[in-house]
Amino acid sequence: APTVTAGIDSRTGPGFSRTGSQLQATFHDYRQQNDGPYSFRRVDGIARQLIPILRGNWVIDLSVRASTTDADTGNEVPFFLMPNLGGGRELRGYTSYRFRDRHSILGTAEYRWYVQEYLEMAIFYDAGKVVPRKGDLDFTGLKSDVGIGLRFHTPRTTVLRFEVARSTEGVRLIFGSQRCAGAVVAFD
């Protein structure tokens, strides 16, 4: 699928930063190779702000992510390519891929503090939802979770995360490791 990404990113590293902003949008154009009904477009966007306090010893990390899909008449979005929420990175208090539909929105707030040179603690709150109609993409009826975590990092990336998240569906323990830039493996 052809993909175009545009953005502005002033963070010091994509996997770990104590300062900066990120504004990014990605457009995907999925086209089925035969006459099947699975051609559609998807747009993913993120707005993120890192607010350092006391020279970065404490950081407030605020972000909003949204994904939306659009298919022409007679086409549809395959289930496995729909925007989803839940898992080790987004809406962490729920199992992986717990919520899935044509459109999604997610807000995250984290308060992180420096423990030692390559170790930090964090408390977080996630709230989001998926909806079938773009008009329902708002901040009402959100599913949410709250949690705490311990993170080991280098100056530019988080290497290992241990988090506990609680939602209406229970408590989840998350172990995450950074295998490569932007990829996280989480065990629920």
Side-chain angles (χ1 to χ4, degrees):
T3 301
V4 175
T5 299
I8 298 170
D9 192 346
S10 64
R11 297 173 299 161
T12 55
F16 178 79
S17 184
R18 293 188 174 279
T19 64
S21 302
Q22 178 188 18
L23 290 172
Q24 182 175 310
T26 302
F27 173 78
H28 309 269
D29 188 12
Y30 292 93
R31 296 183 187 182
Q32 187 164 347
Q33 297 299 311
N34 54 30
D35 292 331
Y38 299 112
S39 293
F40 68 98
R41 292 160 302 284
R42 177 174 168 161
V43 177
D44 300 313
I46 181 170
R48 184 175 185 189
Q49 181 65 51
L50 297 160
I51 305 164
I53 302 169
L54 292 177
R55 292 179 279 176
N57 288 332
W58 301 332
V59 176
I60 297 173
D61 185 347
L62 304 171
S63 67
V64 175
R65 298 173 188 253
S67 295
T68 184
T69 62
D70 181 47
D72 294 331
T73 303
N75 282 296
E76 57 188 84
V77 179
F79 179 76
F80 60 91
L81 291 176
M82 286 183 175
N84 64 75
L85 294 176
R89 293 193 83 151
E90 298 177 341
L91 214 52
R92 293 166 270 194
Y94 296 88
T95 58
S96 297
Y97 311 106
R98 171 64 176 86
F99 304 102
R100 182 185 308 257
D101 214 323
R102 299 262 323 255
H103 314 283
S104 71
I105 191 165
L106 174 73
T108 298
E110 288 190 352
Y111 171 69
R112 304 185 334 227
W113 64 94
Y114 176 88
V115 176
Q116 290 188 349
E117 187 173 359
Y118 298 109
L119 177 65
E120 72 176 6
M121 295 285 296
I123 56 173
F124 59 85
Y125 175 79
D126 303 319
K129 70 178 182 178
V130 297
V131 293
R133 295 181 334 113
K134 195 182 296 186
D136 294 332
L137 206 55
D138 57 24
F139 293 101
T140 62
L142 301 175
K143 300 291 183 182
S144 64
D145 63 44
V146 64
I148 188 166
L150 180 67
R151 298 163 184 180
F152 298 92
H153 60 85
T154 68
R156 296 183 55 99
T157 191
T158 300
V159 178
L160 188 60
R161 296 182 300 127
F162 299 101
E163 295 175 338
V164 177
R166 179 167 175 69
S167 70
T168 58
E169 295 184 1
V171 176
R172 292 186 59 241
L173 182 60
I174 302 160
F175 300 98
S177 69
Q178 192 82 14
R179 295 190 320 178
C180 59
V184 171
V185 177
F187 300 97
D188 303 324

